[in-house]
Amino acid sequence: MSILVVGSVAFDALQTPFGKIDRCIGGSATYFSVAASFFSPVDLVAVVGDDFTEQDASVFKGRNINLDGLQKVPGERTFFWSGEYGYDLNVAKTRDTQLNVFAGFKPKLNERQRSADVLFLANIDPDLQMDVLKQTKRPRLVALDTMNYWITSKKDALAKIFSEVDLIIINEAEVRQFMGDSNLVQAARAILSLGAKTLVIKRGEYGVIMITKDSIFAAPAYPLENVFDPTGAGDTFAGGLLGYLASRREITDRELRRAIVFGSVLASFTVEKFSLDRLREISLREIQERYQDFRALTHFDDAE
Ligand code: AMP
């Protein structure tokens, strides 16, 4: 199945306790596309400014990523995000967000993009997410990610789109922030009551919890000795998850659980280096090997 993603393609400035970089490729749709393309073809819808060079675009080259929907606006600058982490790498502190080209972005999908089987509304303005959703024909699966920036600035628009998607992928702190409830399970159920079938809650180094109306599944994060930069872990996770799901014939609870583990595996590579540096090096074989390690990690009982 084909995947359509709309989200940010960005330049990031990052500081972690282990290093600092003033400008590197980032963006929610960038991490997502590269991760998902290991499993399924991806159509990317995003916008960049004329400061985005051929060399920057090389991150997408040689992969199963169609760039017809990557618009370049002359005279404008690419989305910019600056973030900082202390020793608690689960908490990103935003130092600066410059929407730049995204401020006036109104994509118009072509026929192929409108017919995508799986739609991922990556972290970006919820009004833009809605605009893209409305242009698609009925995708088999619609998933969405967001962040505190949009919960603070556009909560109503976000609540509206929450009610129109199948799967919400969101951070633990954002679930609490959105509902104003400190109990994660209660807050998650309240979000689900808006309409989505499945909520996947990202808990940084503590892993992931998936909650549906009648089941809960938990997976740890892959225990790494070297976590260098957590930026993009969430989007990479979503890319691995949806990329894997789109490669399966059916979307069952069992496949969703496997997809969560593939997402966690992909994310575990991303955090080993700055930007997409590690993701760009790996092969499907390394992904599969780490998936097998993950099985051993979480196995504790043989079925009777
Ligand atoms: P994450 O996977 O949550 O670590 O996402 C990191 C990426 O999100 C960075 O590469 C940023 O460029 C991008 N980002 C940060 N803030 C925003 C925002 N408000 N809208 C869209 N993308 C953002």
Side-chain angles (χ1 to χ4, degrees):
M1 291 192 264
S2 61
I3 307 179
L4 177 69
V5 55
V6 59
S8 56
V9 170
F11 289 128
D12 290 346
L14 306 169
Q15 183 156 8
T16 81
F18 318 108
K20 180 175 182 303
I21 188 163
D22 290 333
R23 179 179 135 140
C24 62
I25 293 286
S28 52
T30 314
Y31 286 103
F32 177 91
S33 310
V34 172
S37 68
F38 282 103
F39 303 101
S40 301
V42 179
D43 259 277
L44 171 66
V45 172
V47 64
V48 291
D50 55 11
D51 50 354
F52 196 83
T53 64
E54 271 302 302
Q55 209 206 324
D56 295 321
S58 69
V59 67
F60 301 115
K61 294 282 148 63
R63 302 178 187 277
N64 218 339
I65 303 173
N66 186 298
L67 297 179
D68 291 352
L70 182 64
Q71 251 182 60
K72 193 169 190 170
V73 182
E76 291 208 41
R77 293 200 349 258
T78 300
F79 178 96
F80 175 76
W81 180 71
S82 170
E84 185 186 340
Y85 306 83
Y87 278 99
D88 180 356
L89 294 169
N90 290 336
V91 184
K93 186 165 168 270
T94 294
R95 289 201 293 208
D96 193 11
T97 300
Q98 295 172 15
L99 295 180
N100 296 334
V101 272
F102 265 104
F105 184 48
K106 270 249 170 230
K108 199 156 169 11
L109 303 188
N110 65 29
E111 193 49 34
R112 203 194 53 246
Q113 293 161 345
R114 281 163 26 94
S115 314
D117 302 299
V118 174
L119 171 63
F120 184 60
L121 304 164
N123 173 28
I124 194 68
D125 187 330
D127 286 328
L128 185 54
Q129 292 179 319
M130 184 64 94
D131 183 58
V132 168
L133 175 62
K134 292 282 179 240
Q135 290 183 54
T136 54
K137 301 178 179 169
R138 227 13 273 157
R140 286 178 54 183
L141 180 74
V142 180
L144 160 151
D145 186 12
T146 190
M147 75 182 287
N148 51 7
Y149 183 85
W150 303 112
I151 298 177
T152 308
S153 61
K154 292 210 168 182
K155 190 162 176 201
D156 291 346
L158 206 52
K160 206 151 156 234
I161 191 127
F162 275 180
S163 70
E164 305 234 3
V165 304
D166 303 298
L167 176 75
I168 299 172
I169 302 176
I170 187 169
N171 282 339
E172 177 176 14
E174 291 155 6
V175 173
R176 294 198 171 100
Q177 184 191 353
F178 188 83
M179 288 318 308
D181 184 341
S182 68
N183 184 290
L184 193 62
V185 180
Q186 266 183 26
R189 296 233 182 268
I191 292 182
L192 281 179
S193 73
L194 296 175
K197 285 194 283 293
T198 308
L199 195 67
V200 173
I201 305 173
K202 298 173 284 182
R203 307 182 62 231
E205 66 182 303
Y206 306 114
V208 174
I209 298 183
M210 173 170 70
I211 301 189
T212 65
K213 203 158 48 59
D214 31 44
S215 74
I216 299 193
F217 171 69
Y222 188 81
L224 287 171
E225 293 202 23
N226 287 316
V227 178
F228 186 75
D229 166 27
T231 309
D235 306 302
T236 307
F237 168 79
L241 190 162
L242 289 181
Y244 173 77
L245 270 189
S247 73
R248 314 312 292 172
R249 241 180 312 132
E250 276 189 285
I251 301 173
T252 58
D253 186 62
R254 199 188 168 109
E255 292 293 15
L256 256 173
R257 290 173 184 225
R258 287 196 182 117
I260 281 179
V261 174
F262 272 110
S264 306
V265 165
L266 264 299
S268 75
F269 285 110
T270 289
V271 302
E272 287 178 344
K273 290 189 177 173
F274 266 140
S275 185
L276 288 96
D277 291 358
R278 184 73 179 114
L279 211 49
R280 293 174 83 162
E281 292 170 351
I282 59 169
S283 63
L284 193 56
R285 226 188 87 205
E286 285 168 88
I287 294 169
Q288 278 156 348
E289 279 170 10
R290 202 169 270 190
Y291 180 84
Q292 293 309 330
D293 290 348
F294 218 101
R295 290 184 65 164
L297 170 76
T298 52
H299 182 87
F300 68 96
D301 199 358
D302 285 312
E304 304 264 307

